[in-house]
Amino acid sequence: MISELKERSEPATQGVLAPRSWGRRSAVLLVAVLVVCIAIIVRGIHAGEFSYNVDETEHAVTGLYAAALMQDHPAHPIDYTYQFYAQYPAIAVIHWPPLFYGFEGLSFLLLGANVVAARLTILAFALLGLTAWFEMVRDLQDEWTAALATALLAMLPTMLLFEKTVMLEIPCLSLCVAASGCWTKYLLYQKKSTLFWFVGFASAALLTKQNSVYLPLFCLASAIAVGSWRLLVTPRVLWSVVGVALIAGPYYFLAYRTHWQTTAMNLADNEVSGLAGAMFYLKSLPGQLGWTMLALSLLGLVTSPRWDRRKITLLMLSWIGACYVTFTLIGLKDARHTLYWLPPFTYFAAGMLTRMFSRPPLKAVAGAAAVVLLGSSLVSAWSYRRPYISGYSAAAKAITQIAPSGIILFDGDLPGNFIFFLRADDPHRHFLVLRKALYTTRIEKRWGSQELVHGREAVEDLLRRDGVRFIGISDHTSLDFEVQQTLRDMLQSKQFKLLGRFPIFSTWQPDAGNLLLYENEQWAPPADKLLTIRMLTLDHDLIVPFSQFDVVDNQEDKRRGTTQSYEDQPQAK
């Protein structure tokens, strides 16, 4: 053991290091950890709809767009994208990179457009990340440390939230971990193949979410920390940088050209600044790790000279430091942005318990402590329930059963959630949703907004010009624009018929209100030939001819006469 540690502590530049070979025990431990993690992550996978931070709803709808794009393979994809957005205005193909949506779209094509298919996509990325983390820790320490560190990481409450939510955090984190593992192997062993894989994973991470921009700083800091900074200027590494730029660069160039002003507002957001901004992510650590795991991580870091190699400790600190510096410099603050620094913390906690003690009595005590920690984490993870909301799917399904087609004006919370289920229940695309007809915002109102319609007469004119037949509103949403109240006052007139009241169930809000569906009994096909959508996030508005949408089946509706009403729906849970 001493000779092995001595050999593995030699500088990488001497070329004597070699990665650990895989054995049966490593494979069995990895499979066991992954099986337990799968059981925990899929628990409750059918429950609820899309809601988290509003972003989750747009990730879901953008996945539907990707599925449609792959299925239809249009000759003019840009025009196709404009038309899809005009009909289902909840996609974000420029605001976020495209890679995740390709996989989510494939999942929808294979499994259908539903919440399970979307969440299974997240599960697949989670398993990739956990496998990469196991391999990295196993190579730096041993398989027992790797198994403990991987299990602890997967069962952190913060990780569980995003392992069960259709957000980009887990896909991006997993690809970043895989890239970091490849980069670490290159620094320590200088294997050419690991650098090749690094280029692939780093590029994929950058094409999944912009938060992966901390990777260049980690690469720089870790190379200096382990004494391999000369590798940074070798042709092999320089060509790798060029490779990443060529793969990920086109998206970022496009985003810069079309979306820069909105991105700049994210970067320069000063809602939390100064000392509060510098301390924001440090204060978020207890909530991310829990006090017990944080204490064990810090204790493991302090005692690392007794059980860890110095260069590996510095490498992990480089990882933590790169995340802290990068996200502190970005104006927009959110605790989930630093999900990426959680793996090194679990490394220090697990390493201390499995590696620090070699004498039987203390080693047995540390082993027992590891078992207790793992057991308590497992119990907590098994009982964890992701916050969720439900009720929108019932409202969307009712619309498709009431009429064969129609244009819907929607003004309520989580429009993307409603749009997802409407599109899922409308395979032939006979419905169109107007989400930005009354007002529009630049993602958040504080970054810019515009009220587009003023007064009752203007709303009536909008309904006529755009051929609005159905109107959906939330009765508990905040009214930020005068026109929202104007619309709600109009809906009390005889012109509008209440078709259904759909209770919304929320695990975090005792009374989430209802989604109300109305029919405009004076509706007619659109008087305008063009549908114009005001876009504050782009340098131009979207203008799409109504003739491109098959959303008004006039003859069939004449035959059917008045549509049916839905009684108040039971509260969904």
Side-chain angles (χ1 to χ4, degrees):
M1 177 65 73
I2 296 177
S3 61
E4 179 190 356
L5 291 175
K6 181 178 179 180
E7 179 182 340
R8 291 173 62 83
S9 66
E10 293 295 328
T13 53
Q14 293 183 10
V16 298
L17 290 181
R20 291 180 182 272
S21 59
W22 273 80
R24 179 178 298 180
R25 184 166 60 184
S26 296
V28 170
L29 284 173
L30 173 60
V31 170
V33 169
L34 294 183
V35 167
V36 172
C37 292
I38 290 172
I40 291 173
I41 294 172
V42 300
R43 181 170 163 80
I45 196 171
H46 293 87
E49 300 167 1
F50 303 107
S51 63
Y52 187 86
N53 198 44
V54 180
D55 294 352
E56 186 183 20
T57 68
E58 297 186 354
H59 295 321
V61 179
T62 307
L64 290 180
Y65 158 76
L69 193 69
M70 288 183 281
Q71 191 172 45
D72 297 341
H73 43 82
H76 304 285
I78 294 179
D79 292 339
Y80 182 89
T81 302
Y82 287 166
Q83 181 180 343
F84 193 98
Y85 182 86
Q87 190 168 5
Y88 308 109
I91 63 173
V93 293
I94 296 297
H95 186 66
W96 288 296
L99 187 139
F100 169 75
Y101 305 116
F103 289 98
E104 186 184 31
L106 285 173
S107 184
F108 286 146
L109 290 177
L110 293 172
L111 304 175
N114 54 69
V115 294
V116 173
R119 291 167 184 169
L120 287 177
T121 311
I122 298 296
L123 172 64
F125 275 100
L127 297 180
L128 168 66
L130 294 174
T131 300
W133 180 233
F134 181 96
E135 160 63 8
M136 184 176 180
V137 178
R138 186 198 65 87
D139 192 62
L140 297 176
Q141 293 297 338
D142 58 49
E143 57 268 22
W144 292 105
T145 307
L148 180 59
T150 303
L152 292 178
L153 176 64
M155 291 186 284
L156 288 175
T158 304
M159 289 289 293
L160 283 171
L161 170 62
F162 293 106
E163 287 166 342
K164 294 173 176 282
T165 305
V166 185
M167 295 286 284
L168 300 180
E169 271 64 34
I170 291 299
C172 187
L173 169 64
S174 297
L175 293 167
C176 286
V177 170
S180 300
C182 293
W183 176 254
T184 298
K185 279 191 175 183
Y186 180 71
L187 290 181
L188 298 178
Y189 317 133
Q190 298 183 44
K191 291 184 62 178
K192 296 180 182 179
S193 60
T194 59
L195 197 58
F196 172 82
W197 284 104
F198 167 78
V199 171
F201 284 123
S203 301
L206 289 167
L207 289 175
T208 299
K209 193 174 185 182
Q210 297 90 333
N211 293 39
S212 54
V213 294
Y214 81 89
L215 279 174
L217 182 56
F218 165 69
C219 293
L220 175 64
S222 59
I224 296 173
V226 303
S228 299
W229 61 269
R230 291 183 179 85
L231 295 176
L232 296 173
V233 294
T234 60
R236 194 178 299 161
V237 171
L238 295 177
W239 276 113
S240 298
V241 174
V242 172
V244 173
L246 290 176
I247 297 172
Y251 160 76
Y252 284 90
F253 177 75
L254 177 62
Y256 172 79
R257 289 293 302 271
T258 63
H259 208 53
W260 169 247
Q261 190 173 3
T262 301
T263 303
M265 290 180 178
N266 273 275
L267 295 174
D269 190 297
N270 59 0
E271 193 173 20
V272 180
S273 58
L275 181 60
M279 297 297 294
F280 182 87
Y281 291 115
L282 295 178
K283 289 182 178 180
S284 71
L285 267 175
Q288 290 179 314
L289 290 166
W291 284 106
T292 300
M293 183 62 67
L294 177 58
L296 289 173
S297 300
L298 295 178
L299 185 59
L301 173 60
V302 171
T303 60
S304 61
R306 292 177 55 88
W307 58 268
D308 198 14
R309 287 169 288 159
R310 182 174 179 273
K311 65 169 56 178
I312 304 305
T313 298
L314 293 176
L315 187 147
M316 292 295 172
L317 288 176
S318 299
W319 189 333
I320 294 172
C323 291
Y324 172 78
V325 171
T326 300
F327 297 116
T328 298
L329 291 176
I330 294 175
L332 185 63
K333 299 292 190 293
D334 192 319
R336 64 189 167 96
H337 291 167
T338 47
L339 199 73
Y340 308 90
W341 69 358
L342 297 182
F345 284 102
T346 64
Y347 170 83
F348 287 120
M352 180 193 65
L353 292 173
T354 60
R355 301 288 291 179
M356 189 167 73
F357 303 104
S358 57
R359 294 184 178 180
L362 293 178
K363 187 175 182 179
V365 172
V371 171
V372 171
L373 177 62
L374 187 60
S376 62
S377 299
L378 180 60
V379 171
S380 177
W382 185 254
S383 61
Y384 178 84
R385 294 293 184 273
R386 179 185 69 88
Y388 68 84
I389 200 168
S390 61
Y392 287 76
S393 60
K397 190 174 188 64
I399 283 281
T400 62
Q401 293 176 340
I402 287 172
S405 62
I407 296 175
I408 306 164
L409 176 64
F410 189 89
D411 179 41
D413 298 326
L414 302 177
N417 194 32
F418 175 81
I419 290 171
F420 176 89
F421 291 104
L422 180 73
R423 172 65 183 87
D425 290 324
D426 178 32
H428 301 296
R429 308 178 197 177
H430 291 324
F431 289 87
L432 182 150
V433 180
L434 299 177
R435 183 173 70 91
K436 296 185 175 184
L438 302 175
Y439 56 89
T440 185
T441 63
R442 189 191 296 274
I443 301 179
E444 294 190 25
K445 186 181 178 182
R446 60 195 171 98
W447 292 340
S449 64
Q450 185 176 348
E451 188 171 7
L452 304 175
V453 181
H454 307 279
R456 184 182 183 114
E457 291 185 0
V459 175
E460 291 175 345
D461 186 54
L462 166 70
L463 301 182
R464 180 187 62 83
R465 288 186 290 103
D466 288 350
V468 174
R469 179 175 180 179
F470 300 106
I471 299 171
I473 64 168
S474 298
D475 61 4
H476 272 45
T477 189
S478 59
L479 304 182
D480 298 322
F481 300 90
E482 290 185 12
V483 69
Q484 292 178 278
Q485 186 60 56
T486 301
L487 174 65
R488 283 157 174 76
D489 292 340
M490 287 179 56
L491 292 174
Q492 303 309 309
S493 69
K494 295 182 179 179
Q495 179 181 345
F496 301 95
K497 175 184 178 182
L498 179 63
L499 298 177
R501 183 189 305 269
F502 299 85
I504 304 301
F505 172 77
S506 169
T507 57
W508 67 87
Q509 189 176 358
D511 184 8
N514 305 278
L515 190 61
L516 308 180
L517 295 182
Y518 292 85
E519 182 181 17
N520 174 15
E521 296 196 297
Q522 298 179 14
W523 79 278
D528 284 355
K529 293 184 178 180
L530 300 175
L531 173 62
T532 301
I533 302 177
R534 184 78 175 98
M535 299 295 295
L536 298 184
T537 54
L538 299 177
D539 58 3
H540 62 279
D541 295 337
L542 298 187
I543 301 176
V544 183
F546 272 109
S547 60
Q548 293 188 7
F549 307 108
D550 183 20
V551 296
V552 178
D553 189 345
N554 218 13
Q555 293 182 351
E556 182 171 346
D557 284 311
K558 291 296 183 182
R559 290 196 301 268
R560 293 179 59 170
T562 305
T563 55
Q564 67 184 85
S565 294
Y566 271 55
E567 300 295 333
D568 286 5
Q569 302 298 304
Q571 191 170 40
K573 292 187 179 181

